[in-house]
Every structure is written in structure tokens, then in C-alpha cells.
Amino acid sequence: MATIEERYQHLEKTIRGYNISADFKQIRAAFEYAREHHGSQLRRDGTPYITHPLNVAQIIAEMRLDSESIIASLLHDCIEDTDSTYDDIAKKFGVTVADIVDGVTKLTRVHYTTMEEEQMENLRKMLFAMSKDIRVILIKIADRLHNMRTMEYQTPEKQRKKAFETMEIYAPIAHRLGMQKIKWELEDLSLKYLDPVGYEEITSALAKRSSEHQAFMDRVQEEIVAKLDELKIENTVYGRIKHPYSIYRKMYAQDKTIDEVYDLFAFRVLVNTVADCYNVLGVIHDLYKPVIGRFKDYIATPKPNMYQSLHTTVIGDEGIPFEVQIRTYDMHAIAEYGVAAHWKYKQGAQREDKEHTYEWIRRLLENQEDADAEDFIHNLKVDMFSDEVFVFTPRGDVTNLPAGATPIDFAYSVHSAVGNSMVGAKVNGRMVGFDYQLRNGDIVEILTSKNAKGPSRDWMTIAKSSEARSKIRQWFKKERRDENIANGRSAFEAELRHAGIPMSKAVAPEVLEKVLKPTNFNTLDDLYAAIGYGGYTAQKAVHRVREEVAAQSRAERAAAEAARQAAEKEQQKAEEQKAERKSRTKSEKGIIVEGLDNCLVKFAKCCTPVPGDDIVGFITRGYGVSVHRTDCPNASPERQKEEPGRWIRVSWGSDIRESYVTSLEVVCKDRSNLLVDISTALSTSKVGVAGLNVHTTSDGFAIFDLSINVTDRAQLDAVVTKLHNISSVIKVTRSVG
Ligand code: MN
């Protein structure tokens, strides 16, 4: 077994392999610091504790991360498990390193007790919200990976608990960050403890046939390499058996034995250029029979986690199917280490780039494949989940609340009964004030009592969520109705006296009805109650009464006056209309028909003209003039010659309508998300969609018939250009006939 010093030398060698100018002095210092502080602590397997941080640093180095990450990973358990402090680490290794170590420590202190599916997504988000620096998450994943690798020395109970957590929280995070290799290892190690029998079944079956498998993989590899060498395509080819957990999932999801699991084998072909990728694909499909419907082009359309590759499944000579993944070396680095590879590229870059990295992660997390430009810019400015805070119930359930939320918000989010009977709150076991601002990862416990007096009015200003506030308001409305009515009534009466209005006059039915009508109150008691709980003021109510009393006496006179004015207006309008009819020579549709006054006009359905188009009119039998575009086949010169007397010159007037319906035909190569892209183009152009029909052809085309509302030709042209710019759109034409 290697000595501690040998392991450290191995770490340094790994780092030197990708970063010759790493800060080896500080890395050594961090190693010595951790060794000294962990002192004689032992791991469960009996090795000195320092082997753990060393191994975590080794994993981080294999991800090729920067010096600060290596230093922080060596120190990652110091704050939690030794007498070392944040300040001490900051003094010796800088604030950035101390912040990362502190971040990892906070994540370590989060304890998950829930097993509920719907909680998992919140837990994952919480981890991100708590890690202000992505390196915190990467070190936490490396920490978990090493702990899972050495899990055999733990109690069965702890093994299952950690395996569950890893499967549900850490493996999905690794996946989202694009870290394929680590995700697989986490899944396999988890499976080993979650279903030992199933794991054993798969690994022993694979082991039994391993020489057979190896012979098959060697043969295929040789065939591919020989062909590519012959074509002078520089390549690296290797085969692997799919990892146990992915086989396990297929076996159980499809209820199959290991022999029946489709494509147990995967081959990888790494080449230099994207062009070579497609060349290799052709070669593979030439060598082996491709399985229809299994080809996927993640180069043209990368996965949300930036994964790029060509995937195809083929059947070899022996009738054994296998998958082939084809990608460039750069794509491969991203596939294996995901965000870590990305981080490496960004190393030493400027701040903006760092923010860009966060943005990229944020989008990954939310899986916003179709985020539009405005959202994108908005998201650039905010931190990850900075508008939310994630806290635990004592049972271990995660609740998310708006940032700045207090125990009051938490209590009402559990249930209004909990909020209404709250007498105190504990956070992480300590009593706190009702205005305490909750922080990510806090465990919140609400103390309730049957004798609680209910919420107080200032809770309304302390609560951050509208949910809590409306529940508090609700309580005041209901629980104290009698008291509210009495208080409201006396306030109302006092205000009336002040205004010099007798009560009898104020509550006379014709006045009261008018006072209540514009509000939500059905009865006088409702009004009193609202005044009582503060939802309405007595001043406001009396003001209305006063207005209404005055209005009643004026009412008749005002009504007579209004009637007279209305009649006058009516007459004036009629005269105006008459004058207008005389002076204008165009129809209401914005079309001027030469020589004809005020005739019926309709737009031809075949070519749907819009303002700006060259147009011509056709006098129909029975329905006035039909307007065509001059380039409509139905208005061709030949047609016009047939019935010369019925064609008439028309032009666009100045009083065009707000919008005109017109039709477009869009021909595209079919692909996923096409409909989304087209709808987005239409909505960003601000055109209304009156109809949308799509049909696909057997040879892979999609044809959209769009019916849209536009104001004029300029807007229509803009829409056409926008549609043209969508990838895989081949042709956009205005429909005719
Ligand atoms: Mn650790």
C-alpha cells in the first residue's frame, strides 16, 4: 500500500500533467495543514483521515481543475472536523479558498431525511442555491464519490441511506453538469447497496462472460480501426460494456434478463473534426447494418447539458447489436467531465466569463431549451435561485419560500391553522424572533398552542409571501367578525356625526344600496366588519354616503340634463355620418374603388391581400368587388382578357383597418422543436395567429399552413424573413389558390 507521501506525490504528478504552473507551494502547504489538523483521526477502514482529502483532491485533479480547487479539496473537512477555522484558512490560503471550504462545510451539514420523490428536485436546487461557487458543488461530488468508494466499512443502515441520497441527489446533479463518468460510478456504487442482489446478478453475469465479450469487442474494434486507417482518418476507438446500473434499469424497466437486454456494448470513436464524425458514421453504416430509428445527431442539436456526439445502433456480423458513439476529442472532454471541463477552459478568464459560466449552469438546471432572448438577458443578471430560499421542516421536507421569508411565512405555508396558532419559532434548534430571515438549509420548527391569540396585525408587514399575508387577512376577517362589526359600527357612527348626517338618512335603502354596490360588501354588517378589521375605512364609507345623499337630490335634474345632451349628440352624429357618406368614395375596408361609391368589397380568399400589395378588383355577380393581388393566378392577364369589362382598378385608401388576415405556406425539413420555433418567431413579430395547420410528409418534410393577422406588407415581409431564418425552414411563400 502506498504511503501518504507517495499518494501526495501521485497527486502532484497528476496536476503537473495538465497545469505545469499550478501553485505547488500552496498545495503542499494545504496538504501539510490538513494532515496536521486531522492529526491522529482515523477513517472507518483504519487508514489515517488525511487519505480522504488526498483522494478527493486526486478526483478533483483528474477533472483538471485549478489550484484553488485542489487546495480547497485538501482542506474540505478541516472546518467541520478539526479545530481549524474559516479565519485561519482565509489568512493562510486566501478568502476564495476559505469560501469554498466554508461552502462545502455547509453542504455537509445538510441532512436529508425525506424519501419523497417530489422533494428531490427541491433538494437538488437547494444545494445549488447554497453553493455560490460551482467549485463547491464539484468538490462535494468528489467527496461523495470517495465516500461511496469506501462505503463498505459503514453500517448497513448508513450504506443504504447514503446510497439513496447519492442515487437521488448527487448522480442527477453530476448528470446535469454533464459529468458522465462520475455519474455512472455514483450510480453503480449506489446500486451495490440499494439492491445488492440485482447488482451481484449483473456483475457476476458480466464477469462470467467477460472473455467472450472481450473477444467480440476486440474484433469489432479491429474492424473499425482497419477501415478508418485505410481511409486515413486519424482515430481512437474503444469498446466498453454498458455500466451495471444502465443494464439494471433496462432489465427492470423492460422486464428482461441480462441476455435479452438490447445493446450491451458501446463503442466510441474519437476523431479530430466534426467533418470526420460524419465520415465515420458513413463508414460504420457501411460496415454494419444500422437499426432504423436509433440514429441521433447530438452534434447538430446538443443536449441541454452541452453533450455532443453522434449515436447510432448497428448489428454486427454475429447478429449482436451494439451502439457506436462518434465525437471529437473536445466533445469527449465535455462528455466525461462536463462543467469541470468547461470550468477548466474558463480558468484565469475575466469576471464576465465567470458569470457566463453561472448562466450556463442556471439554464442547464432549469432546462430552458427554449428560453427567448429577453429571458436570457434577464437571467444573466441574477444569481442562481437568489429569489428563493430553501428550508427544512423538522421531518426533513424541503419548502421553498420567497427570499427574505420569515417563520411566519413558513408557518402559513405549512397550513393556515399552524400560522394562526403559532406562539414561537425555532431555527436549527434555537428560538428566534418572528422577523428572523430564513436562510438556505435552516431547519424550521413552529411552536403552536391551542390558547394562541392568533396573528397580530404587524405580522402582515413582517410576512414576505402573499400567501401568508392573505391568510392572515382572512383570519382577521373571519375569526373576529362580531367584534369587528361592533367596532366598525361605532367608528362609522362617529364619522357620520362628524359629517352632520343623521343615521336614518345614511341607512335609507336607496342610499345604502348605492353605497354598498361599488364595493364587495353585500350587507351593512359586512361593511361594518370590514371597517372593524381594517379592510376599509369609516371615512371612506361616510364620504360615499355624503356623496350619495347629495347625488340623490341632484339626480332628477341631472338625468333630465343628460337626456337632453344625449339627444343633441345623437342628432349631431347622424348629420356627421351623412356628410361623411357624401364626401368619401371608399369603402369601410380601406379600399378605394375607382368610379364606384361605397360599394361592397371583399378580399379574395385565394391570395389574401394586405396593404402595400399591388391589387386589382373584380366585379362579382352578387357580392360587390372582390380584391385580388395582381400576382394572383386568378387575376392573371389571361383571365383579365376573358372578361375585360368586369376588372376594375382599386387602390389602398388611408383609413385601412388594424389588421388583415393573410396566409403563408412554410416548407421545412421536419425536426423536434420546429413548432416551438415557428410559434416563437410569430409571437416575437407580434402577429396574431388565426390558424395553423401542419402536415408531415413520408419523406421527412413538414408543411405549415399559417393564417395570420398583419397590419401591412412591411410587417408581413418582416415575418417572412424571420421564418426564413429558422433552421431547417426551406421555403416560405404566400398562399395562392
Ligand atoms: Mn469529506
Side-chain angles (χ1 to χ4, degrees), residues 14 76 85 117-118 295 305 311-312 332 344 435 521 651:
T14 309
H76 83 270
T85 61
E117 184 63 31
E118 67 263 35
F295 169 64
N305 64 12
H311 288 193
T312 186
H332 185 61
K344 184 189 57 154
D435 60 350
F521 312 121
S651 56

mmCIF file of all heavy atoms in Angstrom, residues 14 76 85 117-118 295 305 311-312 332 344 435 521 651:
data_model
loop_
_atom_site.group_PDB
_atom_site.id
_atom_site.type_symbol
_atom_site.label_atom_id
_atom_site.label_comp_id
_atom_site.label_asym_id
_atom_site.label_seq_id
_atom_site.Cartn_x
_atom_site.Cartn_y
_atom_site.Cartn_z
ATOM 1 N N THR A 14 -0.158 14.164 -11.140
ATOM 2 C CA THR A 14 -1.380 14.332 -11.932
ATOM 3 C C THR A 14 -1.578 15.797 -12.296
ATOM 4 O O THR A 14 -1.908 16.134 -13.430
ATOM 5 C CB THR A 14 -2.602 13.836 -11.139
ATOM 6 O OG1 THR A 14 -2.337 12.529 -10.651
ATOM 7 C CG2 THR A 14 -3.855 13.825 -12.009
ATOM 8 N N HIS A 76 -11.080 20.417 2.733
ATOM 9 C CA HIS A 76 -12.544 20.488 2.755
ATOM 10 C C HIS A 76 -13.188 20.019 4.062
ATOM 11 O O HIS A 76 -14.288 20.458 4.390
ATOM 12 C CB HIS A 76 -13.151 19.764 1.550
ATOM 13 C CG HIS A 76 -13.300 18.291 1.720
ATOM 14 N ND1 HIS A 76 -12.331 17.403 1.364
ATOM 15 C CD2 HIS A 76 -14.316 17.542 2.228
ATOM 16 C CE1 HIS A 76 -12.726 16.170 1.631
ATOM 17 N NE2 HIS A 76 -13.933 16.225 2.159
ATOM 18 N N THR A 85 -10.352 27.076 11.657
ATOM 19 C CA THR A 85 -11.476 27.996 11.455
ATOM 20 C C THR A 85 -11.412 28.645 10.078
ATOM 21 O O THR A 85 -10.373 28.616 9.411
ATOM 22 C CB THR A 85 -11.452 29.143 12.481
ATOM 23 O OG1 THR A 85 -10.233 29.870 12.289
ATOM 24 C CG2 THR A 85 -11.525 28.620 13.904
ATOM 25 N N GLU A 117 -40.290 11.511 -3.579
ATOM 26 C CA GLU A 117 -39.856 11.860 -4.927
ATOM 27 C C GLU A 117 -39.933 13.370 -5.197
ATOM 28 O O GLU A 117 -38.989 13.978 -5.659
ATOM 29 C CB GLU A 117 -40.744 11.091 -5.919
ATOM 30 C CG GLU A 117 -40.361 11.269 -7.365
ATOM 31 C CD GLU A 117 -38.975 10.720 -7.650
ATOM 32 O OE1 GLU A 117 -38.567 9.736 -6.987
ATOM 33 O OE2 GLU A 117 -38.313 11.276 -8.531
ATOM 34 N N GLU A 118 -41.070 13.964 -4.856
ATOM 35 C CA GLU A 118 -41.262 15.369 -5.247
ATOM 36 C C GLU A 118 -40.361 16.328 -4.470
ATOM 37 O O GLU A 118 -40.220 17.481 -4.812
ATOM 38 C CB GLU A 118 -42.739 15.794 -5.136
ATOM 39 C CG GLU A 118 -43.276 15.837 -3.750
ATOM 40 C CD GLU A 118 -44.015 14.550 -3.405
ATOM 41 O OE1 GLU A 118 -43.592 13.472 -3.867
ATOM 42 O OE2 GLU A 118 -44.995 14.615 -2.680
ATOM 43 N N PHE A 295 -30.655 6.314 -34.826
ATOM 44 C CA PHE A 295 -29.612 7.311 -35.054
ATOM 45 C C PHE A 295 -30.002 8.645 -34.393
ATOM 46 O O PHE A 295 -31.130 9.105 -34.514
ATOM 47 C CB PHE A 295 -29.406 7.513 -36.556
ATOM 48 C CG PHE A 295 -28.547 8.708 -36.862
ATOM 49 C CD1 PHE A 295 -27.218 8.740 -36.459
ATOM 50 C CD2 PHE A 295 -29.070 9.815 -37.509
ATOM 51 C CE1 PHE A 295 -26.425 9.844 -36.708
ATOM 52 C CE2 PHE A 295 -28.285 10.925 -37.769
ATOM 53 C CZ PHE A 295 -26.956 10.933 -37.364
ATOM 54 N N ASN A 305 -27.233 19.635 -21.435
ATOM 55 C CA ASN A 305 -26.005 19.701 -20.641
ATOM 56 C C ASN A 305 -24.751 19.796 -21.511
ATOM 57 O O ASN A 305 -23.659 19.503 -21.056
ATOM 58 C CB ASN A 305 -25.927 18.524 -19.663
ATOM 59 C CG ASN A 305 -25.828 17.185 -20.365
ATOM 60 O OD1 ASN A 305 -25.607 17.121 -21.567
ATOM 61 N ND2 ASN A 305 -25.993 16.118 -19.617
ATOM 62 N N HIS A 311 -24.919 9.268 -32.226
ATOM 63 C CA HIS A 311 -25.205 7.936 -31.696
ATOM 64 C C HIS A 311 -25.884 7.113 -32.780
ATOM 65 O O HIS A 311 -26.790 7.602 -33.445
ATOM 66 C CB HIS A 311 -26.185 8.005 -30.512
ATOM 67 C CG HIS A 311 -25.591 8.551 -29.274
ATOM 68 N ND1 HIS A 311 -26.209 8.464 -28.046
ATOM 69 C CD2 HIS A 311 -24.410 9.178 -29.052
ATOM 70 C CE1 HIS A 311 -25.453 9.030 -27.131
ATOM 71 N NE2 HIS A 311 -24.358 9.478 -27.715
ATOM 72 N N THR A 312 -25.452 5.888 -32.907
ATOM 73 C CA THR A 312 -26.174 5.005 -33.805
ATOM 74 C C THR A 312 -26.093 3.590 -33.249
ATOM 75 O O THR A 312 -25.166 3.278 -32.504
ATOM 76 C CB THR A 312 -25.617 5.065 -35.244
ATOM 77 O OG1 THR A 312 -26.458 4.287 -36.095
ATOM 78 C CG2 THR A 312 -24.195 4.549 -35.331
ATOM 79 N N HIS A 332 -15.484 14.971 -26.377
ATOM 80 C CA HIS A 332 -15.286 13.883 -25.425
ATOM 81 C C HIS A 332 -14.924 14.422 -24.037
ATOM 82 O O HIS A 332 -15.436 13.950 -23.020
ATOM 83 C CB HIS A 332 -14.196 12.948 -25.930
ATOM 84 C CG HIS A 332 -14.015 11.739 -25.069
ATOM 85 N ND1 HIS A 332 -15.029 10.831 -24.869
ATOM 86 C CD2 HIS A 332 -12.964 11.310 -24.324
ATOM 87 C CE1 HIS A 332 -14.593 9.886 -24.062
ATOM 88 N NE2 HIS A 332 -13.356 10.154 -23.704
ATOM 89 N N LYS A 344 -12.428 24.495 -16.588
ATOM 90 C CA LYS A 344 -11.013 24.494 -16.922
ATOM 91 C C LYS A 344 -10.745 25.455 -18.073
ATOM 92 O O LYS A 344 -9.808 26.232 -18.054
ATOM 93 C CB LYS A 344 -10.607 23.077 -17.300
ATOM 94 C CG LYS A 344 -9.135 22.906 -17.580
ATOM 95 C CD LYS A 344 -8.873 21.534 -18.154
ATOM 96 C CE LYS A 344 -9.680 21.310 -19.411
ATOM 97 N NZ LYS A 344 -9.103 20.346 -20.338
ATOM 98 N N ASP A 435 -39.489 37.805 13.108
ATOM 99 C CA ASP A 435 -38.979 38.514 11.932
ATOM 100 C C ASP A 435 -37.614 37.977 11.478
ATOM 101 O O ASP A 435 -36.971 38.561 10.615
ATOM 102 C CB ASP A 435 -38.895 40.017 12.205
ATOM 103 C CG ASP A 435 -37.968 40.328 13.364
ATOM 104 O OD1 ASP A 435 -37.548 39.376 14.072
ATOM 105 O OD2 ASP A 435 -37.660 41.519 13.574
ATOM 106 N N PHE A 521 -69.162 44.526 -0.498
ATOM 107 C CA PHE A 521 -69.981 44.236 0.683
ATOM 108 C C PHE A 521 -71.440 44.039 0.288
ATOM 109 O O PHE A 521 -71.995 44.860 -0.434
ATOM 110 C CB PHE A 521 -69.865 45.357 1.706
ATOM 111 C CG PHE A 521 -68.430 45.744 1.964
ATOM 112 C CD1 PHE A 521 -67.985 47.039 1.743
ATOM 113 C CD2 PHE A 521 -67.513 44.786 2.402
ATOM 114 C CE1 PHE A 521 -66.666 47.378 1.953
ATOM 115 C CE2 PHE A 521 -66.184 45.125 2.616
ATOM 116 C CZ PHE A 521 -65.762 46.426 2.389
ATOM 117 N N SER A 651 -57.403 50.729 -55.231
ATOM 118 C CA SER A 651 -56.159 51.067 -54.523
ATOM 119 C C SER A 651 -56.435 51.136 -53.025
ATOM 120 O O SER A 651 -57.590 51.128 -52.600
ATOM 121 C CB SER A 651 -55.625 52.409 -55.027
ATOM 122 O OG SER A 651 -56.622 53.396 -54.877
#
